[in-house]
Amino acid sequence: MSPARILVVDDEPTVLEMCVRSLELAGHKVECASSGQEALEKVRRETFDVFISDLKMPQMDGLEACQAVRAINPDTATIIMTGFGTMESAIEALKLGVSEFVLKPFRPDELNAAVERALSRQRLERENARLKALIPLFNLSRVFMTSVDLGVIPKHVVRIAREEMQADSASLMLLNEEGELTIHAAEGLPPEVILQTHQKADEGIAGYVLQHREPLILQGDISQDPRFKNLKGKEQLTSAISLPIIHKDKALGVLNVARMREAPPFTDADVEFLSVLASQAAIAIENARLFQEIRQAYERLAELDHLKSEFISIASHELRTPLAILLAYASILEEEITGQSKEYLDQVVESAMQLKAIIDEMVSLRRLDTGETQVEITEVSITPIVESLLEEFGPLAERKEIHLEVDLPEKLPPVRSDAQVLRLILSNLLSNAIKFTPEGGAVRLFAQEEQDRLLLGISDTGPGIPPQDLERIFERFYQVENSLRREHGGIGLGLSIAKEMAELIDGRIWAESELGKGSTFYLSLPKASK
């Protein structure tokens, strides 16, 4: 058993000396006093676990001394020594919370036994108080787990603090963006005080606690404390506790409780309870703030996403009309001009088609985001789609002198898909392969059966893709090439659209690549039921 700090008071020097020696031999740290007034002075300066007093003493008797000691520190265990024990004095002692009676004359082991019983009872009372205190903390933790409202959490903290401490007032102050402490929740304070309290983080009691980052207990007339002698309106406080609210070394605010009527002062057990409460409050407040920041960021992101969709919608609509006119007149001119002028016109048409592809990607992206993409799953044949793609992209491959090879089995089974969506996916993959394949290279489109699925592949002889980029190339707007040194057009949407479209038809897309040798993109689709 750990040694206790004990204060013994008796006006008989012989008895006092015997008590001190026997208790020190038992391993305790002992101080003595010869009168009740001297004992109280020691109690005001330091804390003792046990107070032992003679019953009959001049000026202040033992019962009065015990009462005064417990008024200063209610946790102190008290023992009365007397040679004049009566039933009346015993009853009075019990009313005052005296733990033990020791009748004179007594042996040292009897005194030590009384001290051990008093300490055991004291520990039991503290444990009971701690367990009892856990109930409201547990209930509060459930509230914290379900609440992310910064306006609700401080109110719960203040209510629990005031109820459990039986305080006249309680308040929770938080630091604002200007570095000032303001009251976010309070009970027992005038409304004008709550509204008007704005103090710097280094001013007043709360500022002192925030700067020193440790709990502060104030007893008696606070105006007499040299640290707060300039404070006004605190003269009526009997006892007060202020604790910092800290989360991961970040100061958030201060929790205050106070008693203004004739009531027992706060104890170390109260500080322990409030410290746990303040720790829970710090976590809950910080979580609520983070939630608010995330929600605001999400709302801002949603707003930006809406603006982006509006821009895409307006831009694609405004670009489609002049582009359609441009392509229409270009097709007329293709039939009428020859020679070098036709080569120039081919460049115009190719550039216009690139712009059309970008507009189509923007429209597809918007439809994916808004859920406007309509999917109708039916039995779809692959061969007609591939033939139409060859007709569309054949001229582009010829201009780059790219060998376009198709390797499809004669009896290719149909797939369960949406014909338009599937064509868009293969169109993006084939366009991407031709774009990144250098002149004189080759692009191959092939297919093979895999149990209940069909695997389509498009391979090229382009520069290849670094391993760390194989997953990221399917992200929106992501491009392997540096934006300032790009050799190929596009805005980085084709592959991401293809991947998202594939997911709509129960498909899966991935890529395999080797730097310097080219890449292969795979599309896996479910076969149609026989």
Side-chain angles (χ1 to χ4, degrees):
M1 187 173 293
S2 59
R5 289 185 54 80
I6 300 176
L7 176 61
V8 183
V9 54
D10 199 310
D11 58 342
E12 296 183 21
T14 303
V15 175
L16 188 60
E17 183 179 357
M18 186 273 290
C19 291
V20 170
R21 284 188 178 183
S22 62
L23 293 171
E24 286 180 340
L25 287 173
H28 300 296
K29 297 178 180 179
V30 186
E31 292 196 23
C32 60
S34 58
S35 67
Q37 289 85 349
E38 183 184 353
L40 290 181
E41 291 177 4
K42 290 179 179 288
V43 170
R44 291 190 181 98
R45 291 196 302 267
E46 52 188 311
T47 301
F48 294 94
D49 300 306
V50 182
F51 176 73
I52 304 175
S53 176
D54 185 29
L55 179 61
K56 296 295 184 178
M57 293 187 299
Q59 296 182 346
M60 179 183 290
D61 65 27
L63 293 178
E64 293 173 334
C66 287
Q67 185 177 13
V69 167
R70 288 183 61 83
I72 298 173
N73 187 356
D75 285 342
T76 303
T78 52
I79 298 175
I80 290 292
M81 304 180 294
T82 182
F84 306 96
T86 64
M87 183 61 68
E88 290 77 10
S89 60
I91 293 174
E92 184 64 24
L94 290 174
K95 289 181 180 180
L96 296 176
V98 173
S99 303
E100 292 287 332
F101 245 87
V102 180
L103 295 177
K104 296 180 180 179
F106 53 81
R107 299 190 308 273
D109 61 316
E110 293 176 330
L111 177 62
N112 287 325
V115 169
E116 295 304 326
R117 289 194 299 271
L119 289 172
S120 296
R121 185 178 302 169
Q122 181 188 65
R123 283 189 291 271
L124 183 60
E125 290 175 353
R126 288 177 177 175
E127 187 62 25
N128 288 339
R130 185 179 289 107
L131 291 174
K132 182 180 177 182
L134 289 177
I135 296 175
L137 290 176
F138 173 73
N139 293 333
L140 188 62
S141 67
R142 290 165 54 186
V143 173
F144 288 163
M145 290 175 64
T146 58
S147 176
V148 288
D149 189 344
L150 198 54
V152 172
I153 292 172
K155 293 180 181 178
H156 283 293
V157 174
V158 167
R159 177 180 58 81
I160 292 294
R162 188 185 185 193
E163 288 178 357
E164 294 303 314
M165 296 297 101
Q166 297 181 354
D168 290 283
S169 65
S171 64
L172 180 62
M173 308 176 75
L174 295 178
L175 281 170
N176 59 21
E177 295 179 354
E178 288 74 34
E180 293 180 328
L181 283 167
T182 60
I183 298 177
H184 273 239
E187 289 188 5
L189 293 179
E192 60 272 14
V193 173
I194 298 174
L195 294 174
Q196 296 174 6
T197 298
H198 293 271
Q199 64 183 66
K200 295 181 180 179
D202 58 352
E203 291 181 348
I205 296 174
Y208 179 90
V209 170
L210 202 63
Q211 293 296 312
H212 289 77
R213 298 196 170 201
E214 59 183 24
L216 177 67
I217 301 180
L218 297 170
Q219 310 283 19
D221 189 353
I222 296 175
S223 63
Q224 301 301 314
D225 193 314
R227 296 170 295 181
F228 313 113
K229 60 182 179 181
N230 295 325
L231 289 179
K232 303 297 183 181
K234 306 293 184 182
E235 295 80 0
Q236 296 180 350
L237 290 177
T238 300
S239 184
I241 301 179
S242 289
L243 304 95
I245 298 176
I246 299 174
H247 181 262
K248 293 183 178 180
D249 203 38
K250 177 184 177 182
L252 304 179
V254 178
L255 175 63
N256 307 296
V257 294
R259 291 172 179 162
M260 296 185 181
R261 60 178 182 267
E262 291 297 327
F266 291 116
T267 66
D268 292 337
D270 296 330
V271 175
E272 183 180 356
F273 173 87
L274 291 175
S275 296
V276 176
L277 177 60
S279 298
Q280 286 187 319
I283 296 172
I285 290 169
E286 190 63 16
N287 287 343
R289 284 180 171 175
L290 289 174
F291 179 81
Q292 282 189 346
E293 292 175 4
I294 292 173
R295 183 173 59 184
Q296 291 170 358
Y298 178 80
E299 291 173 352
R300 178 58 179 161
L301 184 62
E303 180 183 352
L304 292 174
D305 191 63
H306 174 72
L307 292 175
K308 177 206 68 179
S309 297
E310 288 296 310
F311 168 77
I312 290 175
S313 178
I314 295 171
S316 60
H317 179 270
E318 294 299 323
L319 290 173
R320 276 183 180 276
T321 301
L323 182 60
I325 296 173
L326 175 62
L327 287 173
Y329 278 108
S331 63
I332 295 173
L333 290 174
E334 276 184 318
E335 299 176 359
E336 298 180 357
I337 63 175
T338 59
Q340 190 173 13
S341 296
K342 190 172 189 311
E343 294 180 7
Y344 295 154
L345 182 60
D346 288 342
Q347 292 294 326
V348 171
V349 172
E350 183 178 346
S351 297
M353 291 301 295
Q354 290 178 356
L355 181 58
K356 179 179 179 299
I358 291 174
I359 295 173
D360 289 341
E361 288 179 351
M362 293 168 64
V363 172
S364 298
L365 179 66
R366 181 179 180 276
R367 287 176 177 171
L368 282 170
D369 287 342
T370 59
E372 296 176 9
T373 304
Q374 300 295 323
V375 176
E376 184 179 352
I377 302 298
T378 60
E379 186 176 294
V380 178
S381 178
I382 298 294
T383 303
I385 294 177
V386 172
E387 290 174 350
S388 69
L389 290 174
L390 290 176
E391 185 178 345
E392 178 181 348
F393 289 99
L396 178 60
E398 287 179 8
R399 283 196 292 271
K400 293 186 66 176
E401 298 181 355
I402 292 174
H403 176 60
L404 194 56
E405 178 186 354
V406 178
D407 184 10
L408 299 179
E410 290 184 7
K411 295 183 179 180
L412 194 63
V415 295
R416 291 185 66 256
S417 182
D418 180 290
Q420 291 184 347
V421 172
L422 178 55
R423 190 186 190 285
L424 178 60
I425 295 171
L426 292 176
S427 174
N428 282 346
L429 294 179
L430 187 56
S431 172
N432 189 72
I434 294 174
K435 177 172 38 175
F436 286 95
T437 298
E439 292 186 3
V443 173
R444 176 173 173 261
L445 193 153
F446 60 94
Q448 63 187 52
E449 295 186 52
E450 291 185 336
Q451 295 181 353
D452 60 343
R453 298 184 76 84
L454 182 69
L455 183 65
L456 298 174
I458 298 178
S459 61
D460 61 58
T461 55
I465 304 167
Q468 66 271 18
D469 292 318
L470 281 174
E471 292 293 332
R472 298 204 64 192
I473 56 174
F474 294 102
E475 297 176 7
R476 293 183 178 185
F477 302 105
Y478 184 80
Q479 294 178 315
V480 176
E481 293 179 318
N482 187 292
S483 60
L484 299 179
R485 295 182 279 109
R486 290 173 54 206
E487 299 178 4
H488 306 90
I491 56 177
L493 286 175
L495 291 178
S496 64
I497 290 173
K499 183 178 178 64
E500 293 181 44
M501 288 285 190
E503 293 172 353
L504 294 177
I505 57 174
D506 192 23
R508 189 169 75 88
I509 287 181
W510 71 95
E512 296 177 359
S513 183
E514 187 175 350
L515 286 176
K517 294 187 177 181
S519 307
T520 300
F521 286 82
Y522 295 96
L523 171 62
S524 175
L525 296 169
K527 291 181 184 178
S529 301
K530 294 183 180 181

